[in-house]
Amino acid sequence: MIGEIVFLVFIRILSCVTICFPLCSCILRIPDFAGITTFEMEYGHWVNEQNRQITELRTALNAHIGDIELRILVDGMMNHYAEIFRMKSAAAKADVFYVMSGMWKTTAERFFLWIGGFRPSELLKVTVHI
């Protein structure tokens, strides 16, 4: 089983052709590079918007605005985070290995994932036991 997974990962890296691998009953597709490129661009815009919203929220907190205005800002941020999950979902449909590798994350985010114990290679162990 591990040999099959290693073989699939190797073929995925080569991205040569669409392959049907009958031993594990799965189809390996060429990654959708357009979908990944779109995600990277949208993610860059998302980070810029997040920074703008954080600045706006800090300014509002320092100005001691009312609860209604704060609620509007918080709801906007919650919607903003819902958008990143939608974007990740679309990117995972294009290339799940790209999303799970976390290469689109900042160095600090990858560091904290590593410190926290998350390794993308752990997913291979999970799939072996399925």
Side-chain angles (χ1 to χ4, degrees):
M1 184 75 171
I2 292 175
E4 293 173 8
I5 292 172
V6 170
F7 176 74
L8 287 173
V9 170
F10 176 73
I11 295 300
R12 190 262 179 234
I13 291 170
L14 293 179
S15 299
C16 294
V17 292
T18 301
I19 296 175
C20 180
F21 194 63
L23 296 176
C24 68
S25 300
C26 61
I27 295 175
L28 189 62
R29 298 176 299 149
I30 297 173
D32 180 8
F33 294 113
I36 298 304
T37 303
T38 301
F39 173 76
E40 289 177 348
M41 289 176 17
E42 287 180 351
Y43 183 72
H45 295 299
W46 186 89
V47 169
N48 291 336
E49 178 65 18
Q50 179 189 25
N51 291 334
R52 187 195 64 75
Q53 286 184 354
I54 289 172
T55 302
E56 187 178 335
L57 184 60
R58 284 184 182 149
T59 303
L61 288 172
N62 290 334
H64 303 291
I65 65 171
D67 288 344
I68 295 172
E69 291 85 4
L70 278 176
R71 185 65 178 171
I72 292 170
L73 290 174
V74 170
D75 286 343
M77 291 188 87
M78 295 297 289
N79 291 334
H80 187 62
Y81 273 91
E83 180 65 17
I84 191 66
F85 291 118
R86 184 204 58 78
M87 289 170 21
K88 285 181 185 179
S89 173
K93 289 175 185 171
D95 186 0
V96 70
F97 290 110
Y98 175 80
V99 174
M100 293 310 299
S101 71
M103 294 309 297
W104 49 274
K105 295 180 181 180
T106 65
T107 305
E109 288 174 315
R110 288 195 305 266
F111 171 76
F112 285 119
L113 284 172
W114 181 78
I115 289 292
F118 176 76
R119 312 282 189 288
S121 61
E122 293 294 319
L123 296 174
L124 293 176
K125 293 177 184 176
V126 171
T127 58
V128 167
H129 296 292
I130 292 179

